[in-house]
Structures are given as structure tokens and as C-alpha cells.
Amino acid sequence: MKFEVNRDVFSEAVSFAVKLLPQRTTLPILSGVLIHAEGDRLTLSSFDYEVSAQTSIAAQIDDAGTVLVSGRLLNDIASRLPNAPVTFTTEDSKISVTCGSAHFTLLSMPVEEYPTLPEIGAQTGVIPGDAFSEAVSQVAVAASRDDVTPVITGVQLEVGDNDLSLIATDRYRVAVRTIAWDSGRVGSEPLHALVPARTLQEVGRTFGSASTVSVSISGSSDRELIAFHADDKTVTSLLIKGNYPPVRRLFPETVEDHAVINTAELVEAVRRVSLVLEREAALRFSFTVDGLTLEAIGSEQAQASESISALLTGGETVVSLKPAFLLDGLNAVHSEFVRISFTKTENPNKPGPVLITGQTSQEAPATDGYRYLLQPNLLLR
């Protein structure tokens, strides 16, 4: 096997192939990147039985062949090569990588022991890459990081004929974003796919600059699979098994009381005032006709408060929120103003969760389909 390839193109391809590899694996063979050279294309693949990544790049191939090499080591090398073409040759179990005056010799891994990559089913639909990337970044932050309940460590995709909804929750907050989607069908059965949040975040970052992303949902009941494809890159992932909690019902149909605030001003105020808070403590937010006052009661040595402008509609409200969770929602509002709506409970002394949505101006709500529901106590019991 022998080929020559552009240094930057090769480095980017190796980086893509290893991004989703596990940091540690009980099977060393799964830490490898499979390189296949044929014709004028070089294909790099990785697969750990849960997630796979594959990309194809142009190369000058003198001798076709296939080799398996340690993925993270090859990535470290490729990212630090000098600015020159990369020559890659193999002889028996030795791999030679030459770039300019730099030369590396690596040991290959047994190709015959490497698992076969999963087959991808028919296309389910197509979505703009930038809209998909934005939606993933807005929603995935709300997914749980606690593996004790695997079902909420994923992002639920709900597929219709013309729209795609992404939903995530960690029981303390719920994030939802709906975007346009082309399934090429009318009247088809709705589909649901529960994708690991970490995988989806990497897919969103990788395919954000693609004009369109093709999505395929397929497989048997015991091994359902989702695939994302764009620009000679493909990522597949097994879906998380289980029934996603019915979090949509937590969103109120209408909310009368709300405040509209400049998003950037609120973000900066929350960051400043929360500096004196101890870990896991909440900020107190007092909404009045005069504006919004943020208060932090930290230790005996430090307290903080700040007042900013807010346009209040409805009754005055006081609510306590964890600053980190609030900032996640505010940073996902990609508009100049934010609306914080106050839901009510049967107990007048106990405020309900707050609903965060975007505002294009103080008067006009945003139409981007993003909603973020937050309260200090558990939403799901």
C-alpha cells in the first residue's frame, strides 16, 4: 500500500475519524482507524460497535490496499506534520509516514479482526446543515449527563413530513427546537429517534457548514440506527433504547405574565452577581414594574446585587433559578431580547417553571421555534 496526500486534507480526515472514538476501550482493536486506498480515493473509517465515522478524500494512490492503525496516535502525528505532502507506505506490519524531513514508523493492527461498518438504510429526510447545527447546540445542553437514567442522556428527534423537533431534558429543564425538514413524503408515519447527546453534538459541529445533511433512520427493533451524511462524511449511531418521558406536556399553552429583557445585559448581570455564590446555590430574581433585580446571598463575607431594565407584563414575580442552567437557556436564545414567562401552580406561594423564548424586539416574539423550560425543582417525578 502506498499513497501521497495533501497534509491539511489528510489531517482533517483523520481528526474527523477519531473524534467519536472512546477514550478507553476494552478492545484495543476498536481504537484503530481503518484506511482503505483504491483508485484515487482514500477512505478513513472508525467504529466501536456504537458509533461509526467514515470520510473519503482525494489521494494519489500508487498501490491500493487496506491498513488499520492506532487512531489517536495517527491523529497526533497528522496534526503536527510540517507543511508538505504526506507519503504513506506499508510493508508487512510496518507503516511508514513521511512528510518533508519528518518520518514516523508505526505498527499496523490486524485488519481481519476489525468489525464491519454498519449498513445505512434509505434516506429519511434532508435538513439544512446550519439550521441543524444551531438546533443541536440549543437543545443538547439540556440533556442529562447522569448515566443512571440512559434514556434522558439522549436527544429525542421527532420527525414529521415537514418539520423536525429536537427535545432534551435532565429533569431540571427541558429544551425544544423545531426546524424545517424535507422528508420527500406526505402523510407518512411520525418517526422517533433517541440519539446520544454527545454524538449528536459532534455531528452538529461537523456538519454545520454543509449545505444539506441527509438523515437515515433504519434497522430492526433490537438494533435501530441513525446515520448522518454530508460532504463525503458519514456518522452512524445506535439509538438509545427506551421510552422518552412526555416532556412536551410540561409546556404551557399560553402564559400571560412575562418580562422582556436585553439578552446580553441579562447574561452579563447573571455572570457578575453569581460570582459570590457557593456551588449549587441559586440567584434570586425580582421582577417589578421598575425592572429586574438580581440578588446573590453567598457566604458571610460576600453578597451581590444588580438591577437592569426589564419590561414587565402582568404581576410582579420573585423566582430563584440556578445561574448555570439559566445561562444555558439564555446563550441558546439567538436574538437581541429574551422573554421570560412565569407559569403558575396551584400554590400561590410556589412559582411554576419559567419559560424562556426569544424576542426579535421588545414587542415581537422570535419565530425560531426554540423553547426552554426551567425551574429549580424536579420537573419530572
Side-chain angles (χ1 to χ4, degrees):
M1 179 179 177
K2 182 179 181 180
F3 63 81
E4 184 177 288
V5 65
N6 177 279
R7 191 264 326 246
D8 293 339
V9 173
F10 182 66
S11 178
E12 194 276 335
V14 175
S15 175
F16 166 76
V18 306
K19 278 180 181 177
L20 292 170
L21 285 175
Q23 294 292 336
R24 297 180 181 85
T25 176
T26 56
L27 297 174
I29 197 78
L30 299 182
S31 66
V33 167
L34 190 70
I35 303 176
H36 178 70
E38 184 176 3
D40 61 354
R41 304 295 293 179
L42 196 65
T43 302
L44 295 89
S45 310
S46 64
F47 183 37
D48 69 350
Y49 291 110
E50 299 288 333
V51 180
S52 78
Q54 185 175 83
T55 184
S56 175
I57 58 175
Q60 179 185 321
I61 297 172
D62 296 324
D63 296 315
T66 303
V67 68
L68 184 66
V69 61
S70 170
R72 299 206 181 277
L73 178 57
L74 182 61
N75 185 50
D76 289 342
I77 292 171
S79 65
R80 291 172 174 81
L81 290 174
N83 188 16
V86 180
T87 301
F88 198 102
T89 60
T90 63
E91 184 175 350
D92 297 327
S93 61
K94 297 289 184 66
I95 300 170
S96 174
V97 181
T98 303
C99 182
S101 60
H103 179 78
F104 297 86
T105 300
L106 311 175
L107 283 178
S108 64
M109 305 167 77
V111 173
E112 63 275 7
E113 296 180 14
Y114 199 70
T116 302
L117 266 67
E119 294 184 5
I120 300 173
Q123 178 178 287
T124 306
V126 177
I127 195 166
D130 55 353
F132 177 65
S133 179
E134 181 185 47
V136 170
S137 68
Q138 288 176 305
V139 171
V141 68
S144 175
R145 294 167 179 80
D146 186 355
D147 291 336
V148 174
T149 312
V151 71
I152 58 173
T153 63
V155 176
Q156 173 89 333
L157 305 187
E158 297 183 351
V159 180
D161 289 337
N162 302 309
D163 58 53
L164 170 69
S165 293
L166 295 84
I167 307 171
T169 186
D170 60 3
R171 289 195 171 100
Y172 295 93
R173 64 261 181 86
V174 183
V176 176
R177 172 73 194 275
T178 300
I179 50 180
W181 153 277
D182 181 11
S183 68
R185 295 169 294 173
V186 177
S188 57
E189 288 291 325
L191 289 175
H192 298 83
L194 187 52
V195 187
R198 174 179 172 269
T199 302
L200 195 64
Q201 285 175 306
E202 194 59 59
V203 169
R205 285 190 289 263
T206 299
F207 294 149
S209 60
S211 58
T212 59
V213 178
S214 171
V215 182
S216 303
I217 302 172
S218 60
S220 59
S221 58
D222 62 336
R223 195 172 179 80
E224 293 183 326
L225 186 79
I226 190 167
F228 304 91
H229 175 78
D231 300 335
D232 292 321
K233 292 183 175 72
T234 302
V235 173
T236 72
S237 173
L238 289 181
L239 300 181
I240 299 173
K241 295 182 180 179
N243 295 320
Y244 202 69
V247 293
R248 278 188 180 273
R249 63 179 174 80
L250 300 173
F251 287 89
E253 293 185 6
T254 59
V255 184
E256 295 180 359
D257 296 353
H258 64 268
V260 177
I261 311 156
N262 181 278
T263 308
E265 288 183 9
L266 180 55
V267 167
E268 291 305 314
V270 170
R271 287 174 175 166
R272 277 191 295 269
V273 177
S274 61
L275 289 173
V276 302
L277 284 179
E278 296 180 355
R279 189 178 179 183
E280 298 299 318
L283 283 180
R284 177 185 172 95
F285 296 82
S286 300
F287 296 87
T288 69
V289 292
D290 297 322
L292 166 63
T293 298
L294 297 79
E295 298 173 278
I297 308 300
S299 62
E300 292 182 357
Q301 290 79 25
Q303 293 85 37
S305 66
E306 183 172 344
S307 297
I308 60 175
S309 298
L311 180 62
L312 181 66
T313 299
E316 297 185 347
T317 300
V318 177
V319 63
S320 294
L321 301 169
K322 289 186 177 180
F325 286 174
L326 177 60
L327 287 172
D328 283 341
L330 296 178
N331 289 328
V333 174
H334 301 156
S335 56
E336 183 178 359
F337 294 90
V338 62
R339 173 186 288 205
I340 298 181
S341 303
F342 312 108
T343 65
K344 297 178 180 179
T345 65
E346 295 180 358
N347 184 348
N349 297 319
K350 182 180 179 182
V354 299
L355 175 62
I356 297 174
T357 53
Q359 289 271 131
T360 55
S361 68
Q362 284 190 319
E363 295 79 24
T367 58
D368 61 358
Y370 174 71
R371 296 181 295 164
Y372 185 86
L373 196 67
L374 169 64
Q375 73 173 32
N377 298 321
L378 294 179
L379 288 175
L380 305 175
R381 300 186 185 277

